Amino acid sequence: MSKMELDPARMRLIYGFFDRYLSLSEKEEKMVMEKVKHSPDMEKIMKLPISYEEKGKEMGKKEVAASMLEEGFTLEVIAKVTGLSHAAIKTLNH
């Protein structure tokens, strides 16, 4: 997959499929990671899940911030808790 150079939407679809239907056991995951370590594309492969993890974290922060807004927390408190900017938090109102 690291050589496919797919756009983000297609990558999300493929990762979603793997995550949903092809879950690995702990033993299988260790085997895959061992093969990845010896791959010439290791650096590219290791970056793929990280980008999706970061997107997921950002989405989670926004969900928490939106809930906090609904509960009446101040922008300062929300920014401190989530790490989001005031501008980013303000866009969640709309």
Side-chain angles (χ1 to χ4, degrees):
M1 278 188 24
S2 66
K3 294 179 184 179
M4 294 172 72
E5 297 184 23
L6 299 172
D7 62 79
R10 287 191 173 109
M11 290 293 284
R12 196 171 306 124
L13 177 67
I14 290 171
Y15 279 118
F17 175 82
F18 282 121
D19 187 48
R20 181 80 165 151
Y21 298 107
L22 300 175
S23 297
L24 300 176
S25 68
E26 191 173 321
K27 182 179 177 181
E28 291 168 328
E29 195 170 320
K30 284 180 183 179
M31 288 172 51
V32 168
M33 289 308 294
E34 198 57 41
K35 287 183 180 184
V36 167
K37 285 181 190 176
H38 302 292
S39 170
D41 294 319
M42 181 183 127
E43 192 172 313
K44 286 182 183 177
I45 293 169
M46 294 308 290
K47 285 182 182 177
L48 293 173
I50 292 170
S51 66
Y52 283 92
E53 288 174 14
E54 291 304 317
K55 287 179 185 177
K57 287 178 186 177
E58 191 66 23
M59 288 173 59
K61 287 179 183 182
K62 289 178 180 178
E63 288 176 11
V64 168
S67 293
M68 291 177 78
L69 275 173
E70 288 177 13
E71 294 295 323
F73 285 87
T74 65
L75 290 177
E76 289 75 23
V77 171
I78 298 170
K80 186 175 182 179
V81 170
T82 64
L84 296 173
S85 69
H86 285 215
I89 295 166
K90 288 177 184 176
T91 65
L92 301 174
N93 267 347
H94 305 299

